[in-house]
Amino acid sequence: MKPRKIPRHSKVMARIHFHSQKNDSTRFCDSELEVARLLLLEFEDDVIAYNTQPASFTYLVNGKNRRYTPDLIISHKHKGVYFEEIKPKDKLGSQKNIEKFDILSKAFAAISDNGLKLVTEEQIYVGSTIANLKKLYHYRSLTLSEQCQQVMQELPARITYCGLISWAESHQCHVYDPMILLANRCYTFDLTCMLSPLTHLERSYGSTNL
């Protein structure tokens, strides 16, 4: 296994820079599909850390050595460490890739308890989930106003997003506070439906992000 250095500028493919708040550093991706997957990982509390294209592995096909670099290595609180390959479903369905990933799955099972997982757009683009997370992501790095922190115990258990904005205004909180509360899972809602003024929110008392 050899560490793979990802150039910031590639003559073959333009790298997409994604700033990871969870890792406090930049991650490089080859596609918007990979960026969307990283966005999901940022909001998964059980994911400790992750890295893109971490290392190259050698595997044997018809007596010849081939090199393969997984898209992701993920460190998870409960599942441990595992690798992911992110590909459009139609590409994974080709006979060539079916045979390739059958071999790779067996090879990775020998070096990782969780092996290599294949992830497609069907697992990533579920309803409006990615659109909602894109809207919330910036606010995860912001801090609630002191006023909002002082009155948080008064937050209602159930409220609409419009109602949360009105509540914040009436308690003289900062205009960003409602989005910060959502971004840090103080309130949860159905992410598969686009956030709107009438979206119903549920207070999450188990949130550890604030």
Side-chain angles (χ1 to χ4, degrees):
M1 181 180 75
K2 297 180 180 180
R4 184 183 183 192
K5 294 182 179 179
I6 305 299
R8 295 198 175 192
H9 301 285
S10 170
K11 295 180 180 179
V12 179
M13 183 182 297
R15 301 290 179 187
I16 302 173
H17 295 205
F18 176 84
H19 178 71
S20 166
Q21 296 176 19
K22 182 162 287 188
N23 295 286
D24 192 24
S25 59
T26 298
R27 294 293 182 260
F28 299 96
C29 301
D30 290 334
S31 69
E32 290 295 340
L33 186 60
E34 291 181 22
V35 173
R37 177 59 180 142
L38 300 195
L39 196 59
L40 287 172
L41 295 178
E42 290 287 324
F43 283 85
E44 290 185 21
D45 292 337
D46 288 339
V47 170
I48 301 169
Y50 61 82
N51 199 6
T52 54
Q53 304 187 28
S56 294
F57 297 82
T58 300
Y59 66 103
L60 194 65
V61 179
N62 298 325
K64 295 182 179 180
N65 286 325
R66 302 287 177 85
R67 287 186 69 186
Y68 167 71
T69 304
D71 290 322
L72 280 171
I73 183 171
I74 300 169
S75 178
H76 193 279
K77 289 180 183 178
H78 306 295
K79 299 176 184 177
V81 175
Y82 58 93
F83 300 88
E84 284 190 357
E85 176 69 22
I86 303 166
K87 281 282 188 293
K89 186 180 179 181
D90 59 346
K91 289 188 177 182
L92 286 178
S94 69
Q95 188 59 37
K96 178 181 177 181
N97 279 329
I98 288 174
E99 294 174 357
K100 173 183 176 180
F101 287 109
D102 180 59
I103 295 171
L104 285 171
S105 293
K106 294 174 182 176
F108 272 78
I111 63 174
S112 170
D113 290 339
N114 294 292
L116 176 68
K117 298 183 178 181
L118 305 181
V119 180
T120 72
E121 67 274 15
E122 290 186 341
Q123 288 84 41
I124 295 173
Y125 289 106
V126 181
S128 298
T129 299
I130 295 300
N132 281 320
L133 296 187
K134 283 182 178 180
K135 182 181 293 187
L136 295 172
Y137 187 52
H138 167 70
Y139 295 94
R140 282 179 70 83
S141 63
L142 303 184
T143 303
L144 283 173
S145 67
E146 291 185 8
Q147 175 62 20
C148 190
Q149 293 181 48
Q150 292 174 5
V151 297
M152 274 190 67
Q153 67 275 10
E154 299 178 28
L155 283 168
R158 296 178 180 83
I159 196 171
T160 63
Y161 179 50
C162 181
L164 181 61
I165 293 174
S166 297
W167 180 93
E169 291 177 349
S170 67
H171 286 76
Q172 299 181 324
C173 298
H174 194 278
V175 65
Y176 288 163
D177 284 336
M179 288 295 281
I180 295 173
L181 289 169
L182 296 189
N184 288 281
R185 303 290 182 88
C186 184
Y187 277 101
T188 60
F189 64 97
D190 184 359
L191 284 169
T192 65
C193 297
M194 197 65 198
L195 179 66
S196 75
L198 298 180
T199 297
H200 290 277
L201 311 176
E202 294 278 342
R203 179 78 187 271
S204 176
Y205 294 95
S207 176
T208 59
N209 294 323
L210 292 175

